[in-house]
Amino acid sequence: MGELRVHNFAISLDGFGTGEGQAADAPFGHAGERIHDWMFATRYWHEMGGVRRGSVGADNAFATMHGAGIGAEIMGAGKFGPPGWQDDPGYKGAWGPNPPFHTPVFVLTHRPRPSVEMAGGTTFHFLDAPPAEALTIALEAAGGQDVRLGGGPSVIRDFVAEGLVDQMHLVQVPILLGRGVRLWDGLEALEEAYHIEAVSTPSGVTHLTFTAKKR
């Protein structure tokens, strides 16, 4: 059976995965894109746009693990779109006609709607389901491959709290946000459930990898 993985999820030094004031023109609120500057410098990022340039060091090595062996994704409503997207029946996500997932994507929302098939193999399905049920559905769709948990921070927190996340790659960025949505709230003693490794890179970020201890 596949595993549930988190990849390339960036947080501030004070643990915020997104800032306050999310909107269509500010998907990460007052944080802007600062928590992703490390990724924008990598070759992985540029090659997604068809350009061969960018760094090929440790940041790039971590970034490229994002898609390997992934057969489905789970994401929260806040990642799929800005506040209020549920009121637009024609809204199809923030990534244009060919989203970068190329797998089934399960969007957790209290207002489900019919599935939306996009170019490139991405189909968005909308679920009103608790974490364990959503994971069961996504694993079946993944066909033996792993499921990526895409965020946002409250969704990752909920799955971690239920012991469902097998691997987690977080990128701690050297900025302080002060407000927004924190990842760590309610996850005291997390180190008891995971083996944790840290790798700092010249870009100033620290890659934290969590691997679930055998249960």
Side-chain angles (χ1 to χ4, degrees):
M1 180 178 291
E3 295 187 337
L4 181 62
R5 296 159 38 190
V6 175
H7 284 284
N8 298 346
F9 191 80
I11 59 173
S12 64
L13 286 175
D14 44 352
F16 291 95
T18 191
E20 189 175 80
Q22 290 177 275
D25 59 350
F28 295 94
H30 81 289
E33 295 290 354
R34 291 178 292 162
I35 57 177
H36 298 119
D37 283 345
W38 70 275
M39 184 187 294
F40 298 153
T42 64
R43 178 163 294 186
Y44 165 78
W45 178 264
H46 288 288
E47 286 187 339
M48 285 199 299
V51 179
R52 188 171 175 79
R53 68 167 186 262
S55 67
V56 292
D59 288 342
N60 187 67
F62 276 103
T64 57
M65 297 172 67
H66 180 264
I70 296 295
E73 170 150 341
I74 297 171
M75 69 172 64
K79 178 176 178 179
F80 183 71
W85 67 261
Q86 294 95 333
D87 297 322
D88 179 0
Y91 184 76
K92 297 181 179 180
W95 302 275
N98 187 4
F101 308 104
H102 313 301
T103 67
V105 176
F106 297 89
V107 181
L108 302 181
T109 173
H110 295 304
R111 295 170 61 183
R113 60 173 64 184
S115 297
V116 177
E117 186 173 349
M118 308 291 286
T122 299
T123 299
F124 292 113
H125 305 281
F126 302 89
L127 295 179
D128 184 5
E133 180 181 339
L135 178 57
T136 297
I137 294 170
L139 284 170
E140 182 176 352
Q145 296 192 86
D146 292 343
V147 174
R148 183 173 52 234
L149 184 59
S154 59
V155 170
I156 293 176
R157 186 172 63 233
D158 289 346
F159 278 76
V160 171
E162 293 199 16
L164 299 174
V165 176
D166 298 288
Q167 300 178 41
M168 181 163 58
H169 166 228
L170 305 178
V171 187
Q172 189 175 60
V173 180
I175 62 173
L176 293 170
L177 293 180
R179 52 199 167 95
V181 184
R182 276 176 48 88
L183 175 63
W184 300 126
D185 292 347
L187 297 180
E188 293 86 353
L190 185 65
E191 70 279 1
E192 296 178 2
Y194 289 88
H195 298 289
I196 305 172
E197 297 181 5
V199 176
S200 296
T201 69
S203 67
V205 306
T206 298
H207 296 272
L208 300 168
T209 56
F210 295 72
T211 303
K213 297 178 180 178
K214 291 184 178 179
R215 301 177 177 90

